[in-house]
Amino acid sequence: MQSDNLRILVLTGEQTDFLRYGALLRGHGDFVPELTWCPDPDDVGDLLIHAHFDALLWEPTFHAGSEGGFLQYLAVAGNEKPVIAIGSGLEDEQTERLVAGGAADYLCKGHLDRWSLARAVRCVWFRQQLEDSAGGQLGREVASGFINRNLFFDRLQQAILRAERGDHRLALVHINLDDFRTVNESLGYRQGDELVLRLAERLRQALRRVDSLMRIGGDELAVIAENVDDSIDLSQVVRKLVSALSDPVMVAGNRVGITASLGVATFPEAGDTPETLLRRANRAMFEAKRDSGTSYRFYNRQLHISAGHQLKLEEDLRNALRSGELELYYQPRIDLITGEVRGVECLIRWNHPTRGLVMPDEFIPAAERSGLIVPIGYWVIEQACARLRASADLGFPGLVFAVNLSFRQFHDRKMTETIFRIIFNANVDTSLLELELTESAMMHDPDYAQRCLRELSQLGISFALDDFGTGYSSLTNLQHLPISLVKIDKSFVQALGETGDSEHIIRAIISLAHSLQMSVVAEGVETEGQLAFLRDQHCDEVQGYYYARPMPWPALLDFLQDRNRLACLPE
Ligand code: C2E
Ligand code: CA
Ligand code: CA
């Protein structure tokens, strides 16, 4: 074998040790050692950046901080060159820890001889050459608290198999922290490492339990997200990761802002082996690097577009709330006995600067997913209370204002408290405020939901069960809840005359609700025929295009005025 020059950086505080290692390594036929001594931890970074080394000899006592952190730093700064640790402890004890922490090999200082040191150097060097030629992206094997390449591929393989069996989609997200070298240089490796760990912790909290997060390199993390079947799931994972990365991190009293690039490759679209998925996520990540700030790219363009659409929608919605683009429309509810407007349902609209009027079905789901429904929901209640107050002054006292409450709003543990504050500040007659909720809103945590309903009903607020008939619960199950009104879903009303079923269902709901002392509102009434049927069945109120569509506040005032005038006319 031809002999090569092998450049080795020796990290030890003692010159005698440096000289000893040099002596032990000289005189082997297959390589010529070129040793550089670095006695000061602060100089390591400079040396690694400006000079080239094939391997590092490192004594764990070289510096004061954690071994794992320093190994990690060496991996980043030294471009993953192999590190041979020379420790003073017992071999078995330390080997495992240091090798798990990223060292390529471990030797015991007390038992060091010409043969063992040369073997270790030769070995790591050969392995390095092999990996370089194989183009290994995760050259270094293991890193502290992180995962080694084999284990990572193993997990990815398992996840792929599960996805295959369950016919699910899986996403691999490759996260690379931008310009991490600069962070390390300005903060020092220990703080740089601290920063990555903090970020990793945040990411972990943002993920679901089934997702796994791994640190696969100095400034690289990977997430395996399973069961992400549509672009909504996918965008949710990406959104959470991006937002977890967006806030500055406190490291040793400094606020450090960092951006990252995310590359997403999905199974099956981007490949079905761990290697291909990682390569493609990596490629997407490099694409993302072109954008400023924390950005992401999907390997698959179509997915990029649809998930991007979701994320854009959520961002626009956040702005909408801030810049007053949301508006309430009001749809009257007519009492079938008196013909009077008993109340109005408040329905949200979004006056989008470019898209025009956007309907709730297009953005409420996004608001629920992102949690934005919570502040939006409070805005709706505030607005409704303001209108409720105004309506009495404008000559329409006693008008009920109904507001929709999403299941997601119950996730806010301060819900009852916040609603209480809003109505208290607005100083309204709470008996005129009605909250509409669906069965599913109560399904998630029935005990908690029940408690909320009780507390709010003690304030005088009443509750309506929305979209009734579409869920699974029976009214008798719900009778212990403070619900005073049932709204028959419009699908039943609109199927009247088409199938006999809907007639039976409507009849049954009305008679059961009445027997439980609940009133009934039928939604989606569009025709004379539907109205006549409902009247026959003693339905209490109706709401629908037949009488009025949802309308802006000034139009509602005109509508109410006209009906008042009609009511005053002699029959
Ligand atoms: P919803 O609570 O069932 O509201 C009734 C929907 O039926 C409204 O749709 C209304 O415009 C529509 N509608 C009323 N009469 C008729 C009719 O005769 N024919 C037909 N075809 N439709 C009729 P909209 O305003 O598009 O709202 C859709 C859904 O969005 C609402 O369904 C509600 O679930 C949700 N939503 C609206 N505003 C809010 C809000 O402020 N908060 C929450 N959480 N959800 C809201
Ligand atoms: Ca409703
Ligand atoms: Ca409804």
Side-chain angles (χ1 to χ4, degrees):
M1 189 185 275
Q2 148 203 11
S3 65
D4 276 301
N5 281 359
L6 232 153
R7 279 154 298 187
I8 300 169
L9 180 65
V10 184
L11 306 174
T12 172
E14 298 296 324
Q15 193 178 20
T16 45
D17 286 328
F18 166 66
L19 294 173
R20 179 170 167 233
Y21 301 147
L24 293 174
L25 285 171
R26 256 184 293 278
H28 297 275
D30 50 348
F31 64 86
V32 179
E34 263 178 35
L35 271 62
T36 303
W37 181 34
C38 173
D40 186 343
D42 289 340
D43 296 334
V44 180
D46 260 3
L47 273 166
L48 288 174
I49 289 163
H50 297 115
H52 175 88
F53 297 100
D54 298 300
L56 279 64
L57 284 186
W58 161 67
E59 293 185 4
T61 49
F62 174 62
H63 61 98
S66 90
E67 293 162 349
F70 194 75
L71 280 167
Q72 189 57 41
Y73 167 69
L74 290 180
V76 178
N79 204 13
E80 321 227 324
K81 288 298 169 218
V83 177
I84 298 167
I86 303 180
S88 45
L90 280 177
E91 205 150 331
D92 307 351
E93 248 174 42
Q94 257 190 327
T95 310
E96 204 174 322
R97 201 175 67 239
L98 290 173
V99 171
D105 204 345
Y106 174 85
L107 296 168
C108 180
K109 204 166 172 179
H111 304 145
L112 210 60
D113 55 27
R114 275 178 57 76
W115 182 83
S116 62
L117 187 57
R119 178 203 52 84
V121 167
R122 218 181 269 128
C123 201
V124 297
W125 180 53
F126 285 161
R127 212 188 304 158
Q128 176 73 19
Q129 283 180 322
L130 268 181
E131 271 173 10
D132 284 351
S133 62
Q137 295 160 349
L138 306 172
R140 207 171 29 82
E141 288 258 313
V142 197
S144 95
F146 332 135
I147 194 162
N148 79 28
R149 182 194 174 93
N150 291 341
L151 196 54
F152 170 68
F153 276 139
D154 201 49
R155 283 215 193 148
L156 188 52
Q157 181 68 61
Q158 297 299 326
I160 291 174
L161 286 176
R162 275 194 296 276
E164 222 157 19
R165 270 199 303 269
D167 202 16
H168 288 303
R169 183 188 269 144
L170 167 156
L172 172 67
V173 188
H174 187 173
I175 304 171
N176 184 276
L177 305 179
D178 297 335
D179 219 8
F180 190 60
R181 200 177 278 267
T182 314
V183 173
N184 256 337
E185 278 165 21
S186 58
L187 291 180
Y189 75 90
R190 218 167 303 153
Q191 261 129 31
D193 194 52
E194 179 80 26
L195 178 114
V196 181
L197 295 179
R198 289 267 161 84
L199 282 176
E201 188 48 43
R202 246 199 236 155
L203 290 171
R204 205 181 302 278
Q205 278 167 10
L207 291 165
R208 304 166 302 172
R209 280 171 63 94
V210 290
D211 302 328
S212 39
L213 171 77
M214 286 147 291
R215 185 168 174 186
I216 56 172
D219 53 355
E220 281 173 295
L221 299 143
V223 170
I224 302 174
E226 297 186 44
N227 297 0
V228 281
D229 291 321
D230 52 21
S231 62
I232 291 173
D233 293 342
L234 262 179
S235 63
Q236 201 165 0
V237 169
V238 173
R239 172 171 47 71
K240 283 188 183 157
L241 294 175
V242 169
S243 88
L245 289 164
S246 67
D247 289 334
V249 184
M250 287 302 288
V251 182
N254 296 316
R255 271 167 74 84
V256 187
I258 190 149
T259 64
S261 304
L262 285 70
V264 189
T266 49
F267 163 87
E269 292 85 354
D272 55 7
T273 64
E275 289 79 7
T276 357
L277 278 186
L278 182 63
R279 203 172 51 244
R280 297 196 155 156
N282 191 55
R283 165 117 55 98
M285 183 274 287
F286 275 110
E287 290 262 308
K289 282 245 184 255
R290 288 201 215 136
D291 297 341
S292 61
T294 294
S295 46
Y296 63 91
R297 272 287 197 312
F298 286 75
Y299 179 78
N300 182 291
R301 221 184 121 57
Q302 201 47 50
L303 284 174
H304 184 78
I305 294 169
S306 47
H309 176 76
Q310 287 298 330
L311 290 166
K312 174 93 172 63
L313 182 68
E314 289 170 18
E315 194 187 310
D316 285 358
L317 198 51
R318 205 173 305 259
N319 283 330
L321 182 62
R322 256 181 276 156
S323 49
E325 289 165 18
L326 300 178
E327 185 183 354
L328 286 190
Y329 273 41
Y330 306 84
Q331 186 178 33
R333 248 162 54 183
I334 314 289
D335 185 312
L336 281 184
I337 293 179
T338 64
E340 282 171 350
V341 181
R342 283 273 299 126
V344 290
E345 177 173 6
C346 305
L347 295 156
I348 199 165
R349 300 291 182 264
W350 178 6
N351 293 303
H352 194 283
T354 54
R355 291 166 60 195
L357 195 69
V358 185
M359 301 303 276
D361 289 338
E362 275 189 67
F363 63 89
I364 292 287
E368 286 175 338
R369 274 195 309 276
S370 58
L372 266 176
I373 192 68
V374 173
I376 290 178
Y378 293 139
W379 176 84
V380 172
I381 298 175
E382 238 165 47
Q383 187 73 9
C385 285
R387 299 304 199 204
L388 199 169
R389 241 188 101 78
S391 64
D393 297 339
L394 292 165
F396 311 106
L399 203 62
V400 171
F401 279 70
V403 165
N404 292 285
L405 212 56
S406 148
F407 75 99
R408 192 63 166 70
Q409 291 178 258
F410 282 86
H411 290 197
D412 178 24
R413 297 277 145 170
K414 289 216 167 74
M415 185 179 78
T416 49
E417 197 184 309
T418 313
I419 293 181
F420 177 77
R421 191 155 31 84
I422 294 172
I423 55 182
F424 182 79
N425 287 340
N427 193 15
V428 291
D429 177 355
T430 47
S431 70
L432 296 176
L433 188 63
E434 197 170 85
L435 298 178
E436 296 190 2
L437 38 93
T438 56
E439 297 154 55
S440 59
M442 286 169 297
M443 233 76 121
H444 181 69
D445 185 349
D447 292 341
Y448 171 67
Q450 221 179 93
R451 196 150 21 97
C452 291
L453 261 57
R454 289 250 151 71
E455 282 172 21
L456 291 170
S457 68
Q458 274 159 12
L459 298 178
I461 296 174
S462 55
F463 289 92
L465 200 54
D466 207 352
D467 303 341
F468 193 74
T470 55
Y472 298 101
S473 41
S474 71
L475 275 185
T476 13
N477 284 342
L478 299 166
Q479 60 176 315
H480 54 279
L481 291 171
I483 291 170
S484 51
L485 191 134
V486 174
K487 298 188 85 175
I488 301 178
D489 191 69
K490 60 175 172 281
S491 59
F492 299 109
V493 175
Q494 293 178 345
L496 278 174
E498 289 166 18
T499 63
D501 286 355
S502 55
E503 285 173 28
H504 288 123
I505 294 170
I506 292 177
R507 216 176 269 136
I509 295 176
I510 294 176
S511 75
L512 187 62
H514 284 167
S515 73
L516 297 168
Q517 327 299 325
M518 299 178 187
S519 311
V520 182
V521 177
E523 283 190 307
V525 178
E526 293 182 3
T527 68
E528 189 88 52
Q530 293 162 351
L531 185 66
F533 174 80
L534 291 160
R535 210 191 284 276
D536 276 354
Q537 301 307 315
H538 307 290
C539 182
D540 303 280
E541 295 172 43
V542 292
Q543 180 183 336
Y545 295 174
Y546 179 79
Y547 283 108
R549 288 177 178 255
M551 54 189 112
W553 179 246
L556 176 73
L557 294 178
D558 289 345
F559 180 87
L560 294 172
Q561 214 106 50
D562 286 351
R563 289 211 58 101
N564 268 359
R565 215 172 301 130
L566 272 178
C568 293
L569 289 177
E571 290 268 328

